[in-house]
Amino acid sequence: MAEEATKTKGKKGFLARRKAHCTACCVALAVLLILGALALAFYFRYRPRPPRVVATPVDVSIDEFALLPHPTLRVSVGVHVVVANPSNSPFRYGASVGAVTYHSAPVGETLVPAGEVGGRSTARVEPATVVDGVKVAENPHFASDAVAGMLPFVAVVRVVGKALVLRAFEVPVAVEVVCLVRMYVFHGESSSRCTSTVRAGPRAAAAGERSFPAAGQYAHEHEHE
């Protein structure tokens, strides 16, 4: 009788331990499922989306122009980029430099100061643009372009930064705007056509390379008269 009681007690203890083990496994599985669901919810709510360039207004001012007694030119070119951030997290970008060229020759720079575009908001990026009129006037194409009344420039603006996710993770993002600006010196007018390209993810890390556009990028065009 004592032996049977011992066996019965041992069997009950085994079943109890087995039940406790199954309960612990079920609780652990439920916790993992809840954590996974929360992680997915946070991802879909806060996942970074690439910013969009919604406008690229260009301001051009011809302050001085003359062919005689010697070629003279003093102009200012301002390429402004309006960036919309559809993500819930902010898009922070650092200072960057782009080129201003005249017939492929560098004649100036666009300087973008560091800044931030808040989550679900739109901001206007206004780089400081410097154009060396002396270099333009010394270019061998200047005389013929001036006689024709039109000077062609290409201005590049780069906005390179990172989209923040839950303020802990960072996703590289690079925006490049290339504007073909035509100055009509005799009329004091100008026209521009801009192409914007957005790159997100690992490819954005190579934003310093002039390799736009490529796969995984988003391009848009804006034209102004």
Side-chain angles (χ1 to χ4, degrees):
M1 294 290 294
E3 183 178 352
E4 290 181 0
T6 302
K7 288 182 178 180
T8 302
K9 185 177 181 180
K11 187 175 182 180
K12 289 182 178 179
F14 172 76
L15 292 175
R17 289 193 300 271
R18 185 175 181 182
K19 183 178 180 181
H21 179 71
C22 291
T23 302
C25 289
C26 291
V27 170
L29 181 60
V31 170
L32 289 176
L33 289 174
I34 293 173
L35 290 177
L38 289 175
L40 284 175
F42 274 113
Y43 171 76
F44 284 112
R45 178 171 177 78
Y46 293 101
R47 71 185 186 279
R49 300 179 180 89
R52 296 180 295 106
V53 177
V54 296
T56 52
V58 178
D59 297 328
V60 177
S61 174
I62 304 174
D63 302 316
E64 186 178 356
F65 168 71
L67 290 175
L68 298 173
H70 54 80
T72 304
L73 179 68
R74 187 160 57 91
V75 300
S76 60
V77 180
V79 179
H80 308 299
V81 183
V82 181
V83 179
N85 179 16
S87 298
N88 289 293
S89 302
F91 167 51
R92 295 175 180 169
Y93 54 90
S96 60
V97 179
V100 178
T101 59
Y102 174 68
H103 287 284
S104 300
V107 295
E109 293 179 333
T110 59
L111 311 174
V112 175
E116 175 180 316
V117 182
R120 292 191 175 276
S121 63
T122 301
R124 182 182 176 106
V125 180
E126 299 184 342
T129 304
V130 179
V131 178
D132 191 337
V134 175
K135 288 185 177 180
V136 177
E138 291 176 348
N139 190 286
H141 297 279
F142 177 73
S144 58
D145 287 345
V147 171
M150 191 273 289
L151 305 179
F153 293 88
V154 175
V156 179
V157 176
R158 289 190 177 93
V159 182
V160 181
K162 294 179 179 179
L164 303 182
V165 184
L166 299 179
R167 299 192 178 277
F169 305 100
E170 298 178 336
V171 177
V173 176
V175 178
E176 183 177 79
V177 177
V178 180
C179 291
L180 173 60
V181 182
R182 297 181 177 91
M183 295 186 186
Y184 303 100
V185 292
F186 295 128
H187 302 284
E189 299 175 349
S190 67
S191 66
S192 62
R193 181 177 182 180
C194 299
T195 301
S196 59
T197 307
V198 178
R199 171 187 290 172
R203 290 181 177 271
E209 301 177 5
R210 298 181 60 84
S211 56
F212 291 78
Q217 300 173 11
Y218 309 83
H220 304 276
E221 289 191 359
H222 305 276
E223 189 165 356
H224 306 275
E225 291 289 341

